[in-house]
Amino acid sequence: QVQLAESGGGLVQAGGSLRLSCAASGHTFRYAMGWFRQAPGMERELVAALSWGGGNTYYADSVKGRFTISRDNLRKTVALQMNSLKPEDTAVYYCAANSKFLLHAGYEYWGQGTQVTGSS
């Protein structure tokens, strides 16, 4: 079992950058990790994911080239570097983990979320 806590959200002007961090606590960090977001009136979507070994990544088309996911398995953290932010990126962002090592499904553990607002 793992507990996740996001930080780093905030308000940034369009075109700016923001870095989200997720700290995991538990006796293992052997999970695929993902960042999800949910905007008002929208379904929660997976925006980026990273395999346990770091060799496989996934990015939603809407964030490719702008967002980068990374992890530090020694410190048990995962980060989402968000560049060239757009108003459309405004959402609550959630860190998630899954023990099945899949990038697209199986996220059993969730953080509480952090608000990201890209202003025009």
Side-chain angles (χ1 to χ4, degrees), residues 16-111:
S17 297
L18 202 62
R19 185 176 181 88
L20 305 182
S21 295
C22 175
S25 60
H27 59 268
T28 183
F29 195 47
R30 190 177 174 88
Y31 301 96
M33 300 295 298
W35 284 97
F36 291 75
R37 69 184 181 188
Q38 187 166 25
M42 303 290 288
E43 295 183 350
R44 185 174 297 185
E45 64 172 336
L46 177 65
V47 298
L50 184 65
S51 63
W52 175 81
N56 294 316
T57 59
Y58 165 84
Y59 295 98
D61 288 342
S62 59
V63 306
K64 285 181 179 177
R66 300 189 297 118
F67 290 11
T68 303
I69 188 171
S70 61
R71 66 190 295 162
D72 185 334
N73 286 346
L74 293 179
R75 297 184 177 182
K76 297 183 179 180
T77 60
V78 61
L80 185 68
Q81 179 67 45
M82 304 183 293
N83 298 325
S84 302
L85 281 164
K86 304 175 180 179
E88 303 90 272
D89 296 318
T90 297
V92 177
Y93 283 71
Y94 299 88
C95 177
N98 81 76
S99 62
K100 295 182 287 293
F101 314 122
L102 301 175
L103 302 188
H104 301 279
Y107 289 92
E108 309 114 302
Y109 307 102
W110 298 83

